[in-house]
Amino acid sequence: MRLLLVHSFFFSFGIARAAVTAYGPHVQSPLGTTTAASASYTGAASYDQTILTAPAPPNPPPPTQFNIGLQTGDVSGLSIQQEGSFFGFSIEFSVTTQVLPFLNLMANLRQRGGSVKIRVGGNTQETATLVASTPDGAALEKDYGRQSNPTATPPLVFTSEIIKMMAEISALTDVYWYMGVPFNDTQNWRLQIAEVGEAMLGKYLIGLQAGNEPDLYSRHGHRPNPSGLQERIRSSHRCSERRLNISNKNLLIGPNLAGVWTPPDIWQTGFATDFNQNLAALGVERYPTDNCYAIFGIGTPRYGQDMFPSFLTHQSGKNIVNEFPGAPAYAQSVGKPFIMSETNTASCGGFPGLSDSFGAALWGIDYALQLAYSNFSTVLFHVGGQSVYYNSTLHQWTIGPAYYSALVVAEALGSSNTAQVLDLQANGGNDYTPGYAIYENGQPVRIALTNFITDPSGNNDYTASISIGGTVPAQVKVKYLLADSVSQIYNFTWAGQTFGGPFTSDGRLVGALDVQTIPCDQTNNVCQVKVPAPGFALVFLTDNALSESDQSPTMTFSTTTYTNHHGPTVTIDPSVLATSNGEKGLADALVGTSKSRQMSSALGFAQALPSLVAVMAGALVVGRLAFMR
Ligand SMILES: *[C@@H]1O[C@H](CO)[C@@H](O)[C@H](O)[C@H]1NC(C)=O
Ligand SMILES: *[C@@H]1O[C@H](CO)[C@@H](O)[C@H](O)[C@H]1NC(C)=O
Ligand SMILES: *[C@@H]1O[C@H](CO)[C@@H](O)[C@H](O)[C@H]1NC(C)=O
Ligand SMILES: *[C@@H]1O[C@H](CO)[C@@H](O)[C@H](O)[C@H]1NC(C)=O
Ligand SMILES: *[C@@H]1O[C@H](CO)[C@@H](O)[C@H](O)[C@H]1NC(C)=O
C-alpha cells in the first residue's frame, strides 16, 4: 500500500521544487477513550486517551518533613560539568519531516539551556540512502513494501533538502545535530550522509553515530551475528573512518549498544583507544523495558498499569545507570563524553497511559538528573512516529511529558555549562521523594525536588527544610511542575504555563508565568519548600540562577502574525487559530491524502519568501489547513 503523504513543513522553507511527498499509511483515527492498560487500541498512539490508575501512596508513607543541608566550596560527589543542552531528543529519520516543525519547541529549550541537541537516526538510519533526487521530487520517501525488522522500519531514501532544512533549523534555533550513518552494508558504504551533513551543517554537526544497535543486527535480520562481531564493529569503524571524506575527523560515536553486549566487551577490543582521535563520544542506548509484545507480538507481554509503579521511583533511573558500571568513568579516562543516545520509557512505542502521563514527566526529570549526576554527558529521548506513545513528545502540537521534562532539566542545569549535579539522597534516600542540588563554581544554585506520590488529600505533600553552609538567602524563587495525578495525560503546568491538551499547542507555553517567592528564615538558616503529591519543584537560590535558566526569549515562530501579500490566499483569522484545536487538521495535512492542491499553491507562496518569513508562512499554511477542516 502506498499512499500519498504531504509534508507541509518543506513548503515552509521554500526548499522543495516539486510537491514534497512521501509514502506511508494514513493512520489518523478519531480521538477515543479506552480503558486502562488496553492493548486493543488500534488507532495512532497520539490519539489514545487511556488513563491509568495512579498507584496508591506507599504504606508506610515517607516522612513529610525533612532537612536538606547543602555544603559549599569543595563538595565531594559532584558530577562533571554539564551543559544546558544535556537533555535532547532522538528522532527517526523516517519521521523527521513530521517532527521538525517545532521551531518554537526548540527555541524554548535554547532559551533555557543555551542550545539544543538532536539526533537523527535510529532503526531507519541503517537503510537510509542519500540520493540526488527521487522520482516524485520528494525530499524523503519510505518504502513500506520493504519493511525488514521487528520495528517495521521502512527503508528510506532522502535528498539533501532534508539536511538543508536541518541547517535552517540550526540557524534559527541553535540546534546541534548527531546524525546516524548507515552500517548495514560494509561492502558498499553509504557515507554521503556524513559528507553532505558536514558540508551543510558545519559546526552544527556534532556527531556521526556509526551504526545503530550493532549488537541487535542479527535479531533485526540485518546481518548474521557471528561470534567476534565486536571485532567487526572495530574494523567497520576503521574502514568508515578511512573512507569518510570529511574534514572534521573526530565525529564518530560508538558503540551504540542496545544491551546484548556490555561496554567492556567493546572496550577490550581497543575501540575507544585505537580510534580515540576519531571519536566524538562513546554512546549507549537503553530503555528500562519494552512494549514490543503489544505491537509486534514478540517478547514478554507487559501492561502499562502493572509497569506504572516501577517508573515512579528514584530507583528507576538508578537501575538504568547501574547497567553501565564504570562506563562513564572509563569514558572520562579516555577523554570522551558518555552519552545515552536513545532512551525513553519503553521501546516499541511505550505504554498507553504511562508514556504520555505526568508520571512519565516526573520520571524523565529524575532519570535525566540521575544520568547527569552519574557523569553521562547527554541524554537523548527518542520520539518516533505517530504510532508510538511517546510520539506525543515532539509530536506536532500535542506536547507530551518528555518535552516538559526537557524544559525542566534545561532550567535545572541552566545555560552556564558549568552545572554540577549532586544526588542529595533526600529524605533518608527515600525512593518517592528524590532531590538533587545543582552547583556552579562550588556554590549550590538550584535544587530539584520530586514527589512521585499521588494523594489528593494533601497528606503526602512534603516540606523540605533547606539550609546552606554560610546562610540561606532572604528568599528563594520556586517553579512547580504540576498535575492532579501521575496518571493525568495532558495540561501539565510548568510555573503556571502549559502546552494544553491534544493538538492545541503551537509550541509556545500559554498562560501567566507563576514563579513563587518563598521567604527564608535567615536567623535559623532555613528555607521551607513544599512539594505537592504529585509534583516537582525547582528552587532557585539566587536571582542569577533564575535568569540564567530563562534568558529573554529570542524569537518565536508565530502562526498568526504574518499576512500574505504575495501569493495565493494563505491567511488566517488569528482569533480562530488562537482558540482552535485545529492542529488535528494539521496532523491530517501531514499524513493526509487530499491536500496536495492547497499545498502546491502554498509552495509557490513560500518560495517567494526568505526563509524566516517562510517559516512563519509555513506555520500559517498549516494553521489554515487545520481550521479549514
Ligand atoms: C543496506 O540497505 C540498503 C538500502 O536499503 C540496501 O540497498 C542494501 O541492499 C542493504 N545492504 C545489506 C547488506 O543489507
Ligand atoms: C572529498 O571532498 C572534497 C571536498 O568536498 C572533494 O573535492 C574530493 O573530491 C572528495 N574526495 C573523494 C575521494 O571523494
Ligand atoms: C563523576 O565524575 C567526577 C569527576 O571525575 C567524580 O568526582 C565523581 O565521583 C563522579 N560521579 C560518580 C557518581 O561516579
Ligand atoms: C504523532 O502522532 C500524530 C497523531 O497520531 C501524527 O499526526 C504525527 O504525525 C505523529 N508525529 C510524528 C513525529 O510522527
Ligand atoms: C486542558 O485544560 C483546558 C483548560 O482548563 C480544558 O478546557 C481542557 O479540557 C483540558 N484538556 C484535557 C485533555 O484535559
Side-chain angles (χ1 to χ4, degrees):
M1 175 181 64
R2 281 158 71 93
L3 288 167
L4 184 65
L5 270 105
V6 179
H7 289 299
S8 60
F9 194 57
F10 286 98
F11 297 102
S12 66
F13 280 100
I15 285 170
R17 278 277 330 140
V20 174
T21 58
Y23 295 89
H26 181 84
V27 276
Q28 184 172 10
S29 44
L31 287 162
T33 303
T34 52
T35 51
S38 164
S40 61
Y41 180 83
T42 53
S46 302
Y47 296 83
D48 195 322
Q49 300 283 288
T50 299
I51 310 278
L52 301 179
T53 302
N59 188 11
T64 55
Q65 175 85 50
F66 57 90
N67 299 329
I68 291 175
L70 298 177
Q71 297 168 319
T72 57
D74 198 7
V75 179
S76 72
L78 298 185
S79 74
I80 55 174
Q81 294 191 343
Q82 301 289 5
E83 296 176 357
S85 57
F86 180 86
F87 192 126
F89 291 96
S90 155
I91 54 185
E92 291 280 353
F93 246 120
S94 60
V95 298
T96 49
T97 55
Q98 298 169 335
V99 176
L100 293 180
F102 305 111
L103 290 169
N104 283 323
L105 298 177
M106 298 301 113
N108 293 337
L109 291 171
R110 194 257 306 261
Q111 182 183 329
R112 291 165 171 79
S115 63
V116 190
K117 289 184 201 142
I118 306 273
R119 160 197 186 231
V120 182
N123 286 321
T124 41
Q125 85 186 43
E126 295 294 7
T127 62
T129 308
L130 185 66
V131 293
S133 65
T134 59
D136 308 285
L140 177 95
E141 287 188 5
K142 303 178 212 177
D143 185 352
Y144 280 89
R146 292 177 48 229
Q147 290 172 349
S148 60
N149 53 35
T151 51
T153 312
L156 71 149
V157 295
F158 65 101
T159 71
S160 59
E161 301 302 334
I162 294 268
I163 299 174
K164 208 183 283 181
M165 178 180 68
M166 289 160 65
E168 298 259 8
I169 290 170
S170 295
L172 293 167
T173 60
D174 251 352
V175 171
Y176 289 80
W177 303 94
Y178 300 102
M179 295 184 76
V181 183
F183 254 54
N184 78 320
D185 193 334
T186 50
Q187 299 306 307
N188 307 292
W189 291 100
R190 301 188 312 290
L191 302 174
Q192 302 86 343
I193 292 175
E195 291 163 5
V196 175
E198 189 193 47
M200 290 187 167
L201 296 173
K203 69 166 186 178
Y204 289 110
L205 178 65
I206 53 170
L208 292 169
Q209 198 197 13
N212 184 54
E213 304 180 332
D215 46 339
L216 294 187
Y217 277 162
S218 74
R219 210 189 275 174
H220 284 178
H222 289 310
R223 261 206 222 158
N225 191 0
S227 58
L229 190 49
Q230 291 103 309
E231 196 47 45
R232 277 187 76 170
I233 301 187
R234 210 167 114 79
S235 53
S236 301
H237 268 276
R238 199 182 298 124
C239 180
S240 70
E241 173 252 307
R242 280 214 199 99
R243 291 177 186 225
L244 262 181
N245 186 16
I246 56 178
S247 58
N248 188 352
K249 295 288 187 193
N250 62 348
L251 280 178
L252 293 182
I253 298 175
N256 313 316
L257 302 176
V260 176
W261 303 330
T262 65
D265 291 343
I266 303 299
W267 310 153
Q268 55 140 14
T269 67
F271 174 81
T273 44
D274 294 1
F275 306 112
N276 194 277
Q277 70 279 21
N278 303 118
L279 288 167
L282 301 178
V284 291
E285 307 180 4
R286 192 60 43 94
Y287 292 78
T289 184
D290 72 77
N291 192 23
C292 295
Y293 185 83
I295 313 289
F296 301 110
I298 53 172
T300 310
R302 295 188 177 89
Y303 301 97
Q305 185 66 64
D306 303 340
M307 302 302 293
F308 205 20
S310 70
F311 283 88
L312 301 170
T313 75
H314 190 42
Q315 191 59 42
S316 179
K318 290 207 281 194
N319 286 343
I320 302 171
V321 168
N322 289 342
E323 292 191 47
F324 305 97
Y330 175 79
Q332 279 187 59
S333 77
V334 296
K336 300 296 170 187
F338 191 63
I339 72 181
M340 176 63 77
S341 51
E342 184 179 318
T343 193
N344 208 316
T345 44
S347 60
C348 291
F351 294 102
L354 188 163
S355 302
D356 46 356
S357 70
F358 183 64
L362 295 180
W363 173 80
I365 294 168
D366 190 63
Y367 168 36
L369 290 176
Q370 185 62 216
L371 290 173
Y373 162 66
S374 305
N375 292 329
F376 282 69
S377 292
T378 297
V379 59
L380 304 175
F381 271 62
H382 195 59
V383 284
Q386 77 171 357
S387 48
V388 296
Y389 287 95
Y390 45 71
N391 151 22
S392 40
T393 314
L394 277 187
H395 161 259
Q396 60 272 41
W397 327 88
T398 301
I399 311 305
Y403 186 77
Y404 286 88
S405 309
L407 271 193
V408 168
V409 172
E411 289 198 35
L413 299 176
S415 57
S416 73
N417 294 340
T418 61
Q420 294 178 276
V421 180
L422 180 67
D423 184 339
L424 295 168
Q425 311 297 338
N427 205 4
N430 189 279
D431 244 0
Y432 300 95
T433 58
Y436 296 87
I438 289 84
Y439 281 76
E440 288 174 1
N441 306 311
Q443 296 298 315
V445 290
R446 298 178 204 92
I447 301 168
L449 301 168
T450 298
N451 189 340
F452 278 120
I453 302 170
T454 294
D455 182 358
S457 77
N459 290 341
N460 277 287
D461 295 357
Y462 71 75
T463 301
S465 303
I466 299 163
S467 58
I468 301 178
T471 186
V472 291
Q475 57 182 40
V476 294
K477 297 280 173 49
V478 182
K479 288 188 180 183
Y480 286 101
L481 181 70
L482 297 173
D484 291 340
S485 163
V486 288
S487 63
Q488 188 172 319
I489 58 174
Y490 297 115
N491 278 351
F492 319 146
T493 56
W494 172 234
Q497 299 182 301
T498 186
F499 294 106
F503 311 111
T504 58
S505 175
D506 71 354
R508 292 178 292 179
L509 283 160
V510 297
L513 180 68
D514 175 18
V515 183
Q516 309 223 346
T517 300
I518 298 187
C520 298
D521 174 352
Q522 287 188 301
T523 312
N524 294 304
N525 185 23
V526 64
C527 306
Q528 311 264 14
V529 177
K530 188 169 170 176
V531 185
F536 169 88
L538 185 59
V539 183
F540 298 88
L541 298 175
T542 66
D543 286 346
N544 187 49
L546 181 63
S547 59
E548 216 177 53
S549 293
D550 200 355
Q551 302 146 303
S552 40
T554 39
M555 59 176 98
T556 61
F557 303 93
S558 171
T559 54
T560 57
T561 50
Y562 188 81
T563 310
N564 163 45
H565 299 296
H566 304 275
T569 308
V570 276
T571 52
I572 184 167
D573 176 353
S575 65
V576 173
L577 189 65
T579 56
S580 89
N581 287 343
E583 287 75 17
K584 192 165 181 309
L586 162 64
D588 200 30
L590 290 172
V591 295
T593 57
S594 59
K595 295 295 195 287
S596 45
R597 209 172 45 78
Q598 287 99 323
M599 299 312 287
S600 300
S601 57
L603 171 62
F605 163 63
Q607 277 181 323
L609 300 165
S611 66
L612 173 58
V613 178
V615 168
M616 295 180 177
L620 218 145
V621 168
V622 158
R624 171 160 176 81
L625 286 174
F627 89 85
M628 273 170 47
R629 288 174 39 83

